[in-house]
Amino acid sequence: MALIVQKYGGSSVANVERIRAVAERVAKFKMLGHQVVVVLSAMSGETNRLIALAKQIQSTPDPRELDVMVSTGEQVTIALLAMALKDLGLKAKSYTGAQVRILTDNAFTKARILSIDESRMRADLDSGHVVVVAGFQGVDEQGNTTTLGRGGSDTTGVALAAALKADECQIYTDVDGVYTTDPRIVPEARRLKTITFEEMLEMASLGSKVLQIRSVEFAGKYKVKLRVLSSFQDEGDGTLITFEEDDNMEQAIISGIAFNRDEAKITVVGVPDHPGIAYQILGPVADANIDVDMIVQNVGHTNTTDFTFTVHRNDFAKAMDIVKVTAASIGAREVTGDDKIAKISIVGVGMRSHVGIARKMFETLSVENINLQMISTSEIKISVVVEDKYMELAVRALHQAFELDKATA
Ligand code: ASP
Ligand code: MG
């Protein structure tokens, strides 16, 4: 007998038929003798609908009230699933985040989980119930409803699995696992049987939307065995997120390619090259709460240097304004900006033990005549920024060059 946490996303509970299908899957696991905790998202589109509704009243909705509202989406699906389970003759109970007592801080719309009281869930499981919990929500010390940020039900699932020391946390979604890259761009993309936790963290932060990044961080911290599967298919093992690189296995050097068009690039040209300039340029950007991703500073010559960094596209205009003011005050020549860029990254723990990966990446892109505007690396990742119209070409070429379409043993 195992204790399994199953999380179902919005498309898996999109309507009554889908909810019945979830109930049947849960029943199958119960029949095998397992204890099951189910975490649900709202029906797909519902959270967006609620946010749009709030915006009709306030262009920037009050965060506390927004959380009171958007948390209702999950409250509907958990009750419906509990009914469907009872219809199948199972014992089931639904709980909101507050009822479980998923305690969070009070950062409305992006709260962090502080602790989870598992006693109530444990008692229900022991008396044979399926426990159905609303994802994405919690409660703060003062009893206010909070939510965990978009996609936050993944994090609820993983956090409950950690609190209950579950044997496995299964994330059911509309794709059957984690792919080498987005199959809509590269039809030959392959489902990975396993991916390491570190690789998954990179893929999630680089724009693969399969899991909310916070849920991956949580899984890493608490060593939760995490699996991504399709709720639209009965067969298949999905993708298991593993913790150790299994040396018995022929490990692919590169596991996946991530990409996004979410960033914009800002360059300060002709910066007087003396200590403190990075701080002077980026300090005011950070003060405005704008995240900076890649940063490149050229080697200075003739006493000036160029300084380039990327921000989220949504922050581009604001960041440009801030940097122009700074540039004038430090005597830089000019500020240029470009939001027609794309970031492409290859990710793989195999990079640690293989040389020539960067060379192969750059060679592949050069054969396609794609200019690299920025490059950054970490131990298990190489990212490049290119003109955004070359993004798909670059991803396809790299997928082929690293033979990601070929199964590894
Ligand atoms: N319903 C929330 C959202 O759409 C949380 C989730 O589905 O994970 O972001
Ligand atoms: Mg999701």
Side-chain angles (χ1 to χ4, degrees):
M1 186 188 75
L3 199 172
I4 299 167
V5 174
Q6 300 187 330
K7 180 263 170 178
Y8 292 88
S11 54
S12 306
V13 292
N15 54 45
V16 170
E17 288 72 50
R18 298 292 315 152
I19 290 177
R20 282 198 205 283
V22 169
E24 270 154 30
R25 183 187 303 274
V26 172
K28 246 190 264 169
F29 279 86
K30 274 299 284 175
M31 233 85 94
L32 293 168
H34 301 309
Q35 294 186 321
V36 187
V37 173
V38 183
V39 174
L40 297 185
S41 288
M43 292 182 177
S44 56
E46 177 65 2
T47 308
N48 289 342
R49 187 186 73 84
L50 292 169
I51 292 172
L53 198 57
K55 284 187 174 164
Q56 287 180 38
I57 301 275
Q58 279 189 306
S59 56
T60 311
D62 180 90
R64 181 188 183 280
E65 305 314 324
L66 189 63
D67 277 357
V68 169
M69 189 168 87
V70 294
S71 61
T72 60
E74 276 73 10
Q75 197 166 332
V76 171
T77 51
I78 55 167
L80 287 172
L81 180 66
M83 292 175 202
L85 288 165
K86 289 181 206 202
D87 241 21
L88 294 176
L90 295 175
K91 293 200 269 183
K93 272 189 198 173
S94 68
Y95 291 106
T96 64
Q99 286 174 320
V100 171
R101 201 158 159 84
I102 298 177
L103 185 71
T104 72
D105 61 19
N106 63 1
F108 297 115
T109 75
K110 46 175 187 297
R112 281 184 181 272
I113 296 176
L114 301 174
S115 67
I116 292 175
D117 180 355
E118 19 80 67
S119 54
R120 207 164 177 181
M121 292 185 288
R122 189 79 71 188
D124 283 340
L125 290 171
D126 289 344
S127 61
H129 286 80
V130 174
V131 177
V132 186
V133 178
F136 176 55
Q137 57 179 262
V139 65
D140 74 3
E141 276 299 354
Q142 275 72 49
N144 297 303
T145 301
T146 55
T147 66
L148 310 177
R150 300 307 306 269
S153 299
D154 293 340
T155 300
T156 306
V158 175
L160 290 184
L164 291 161
K165 300 188 177 56
D167 296 285
E168 187 164 306
C169 180
Q170 303 174 339
I171 307 278
Y172 286 92
T173 175
D174 47 11
V175 292
D176 64 347
V178 179
Y179 275 67
T180 50
T181 196
D182 188 337
R184 284 169 299 190
I185 305 273
V186 185
E188 297 78 31
R190 229 171 14 86
R191 176 175 61 82
L192 296 161
K193 291 197 185 83
T194 64
I195 183 168
T196 71
F197 155 74
E198 287 173 286
E199 290 169 331
M200 193 62 230
L201 203 55
E202 290 283 8
M203 294 290 277
S205 74
L206 291 166
S208 155
K209 301 256 159 24
V210 186
L211 288 172
Q212 195 203 32
I213 181 150
R214 242 185 227 184
S215 71
V216 185
E217 288 165 2
F218 224 102
K221 190 159 163 199
Y222 294 98
K223 294 273 184 289
V224 174
K225 189 172 165 200
L226 192 58
R227 193 185 288 278
V228 176
L229 304 129
S230 166
S231 70
F232 291 77
Q233 259 169 239
D234 280 331
E235 307 289 293
D237 298 327
T239 300
L240 180 68
I241 292 130
T242 58
F243 288 97
E244 65 282 352
E245 297 155 40
D246 188 344
D247 9 344
N248 306 327
M249 236 191 288
E250 181 66 33
Q251 181 76 46
I253 299 169
I254 300 302
S255 293
I257 302 175
F259 52 85
N260 71 60
R261 286 191 175 98
D262 302 339
E263 292 180 28
K265 175 180 84 161
I266 297 174
T267 301
V268 192
V269 184
V271 183
D273 191 13
H274 50 66
I277 58 144
Y279 170 64
Q280 280 175 326
I281 294 170
L282 295 181
V285 175
D287 289 343
N289 232 329
I290 297 173
D291 272 336
V292 170
D293 180 28
M294 292 166 89
I295 303 172
V296 172
Q297 189 195 315
N298 284 340
V299 179
H301 48 103
T302 63
N303 301 325
T304 65
T305 184
D306 294 346
F307 189 89
T308 304
F309 61 96
T310 64
V311 296
H312 197 278
R313 259 188 215 194
N314 295 342
D315 294 324
F316 180 49
K318 196 166 148 198
M320 278 295 278
D321 289 344
I322 293 169
V323 174
K324 277 180 188 158
V325 173
T326 311
S329 77
I330 61 176
R333 195 156 67 241
E334 62 170 331
V335 180
T336 60
D338 183 359
D339 64 353
K340 305 256 176 313
I341 60 166
K343 183 167 88 170
I344 297 152
S345 311
I346 60 174
V347 174
V349 291
M351 265 184 226
R352 286 198 185 115
S353 48
H354 287 81
V355 293
I357 308 302
R359 177 209 145 109
K360 186 163 180 175
M361 182 182 197
F362 302 153
E363 182 188 6
T364 304
L365 297 172
S366 107
V367 167
E368 300 294 341
N369 239 323
I370 300 172
N371 187 43
L372 308 184
Q373 305 180 1
M374 295 173 85
I375 298 169
S376 89
T377 65
S378 79
E379 229 191 334
I380 65 164
K381 168 197 79 178
I382 305 171
S383 301
V384 296
V385 165
V386 302
E387 196 179 334
D388 68 353
K389 69 178 183 200
Y390 295 120
M391 187 184 85
E392 297 190 4
L393 173 64
V395 173
R396 282 196 205 102
L398 290 169
H399 199 271
Q400 202 169 28
F402 287 101
E403 301 186 347
L404 290 180
D405 51 332
K406 305 218 172 77
T408 47

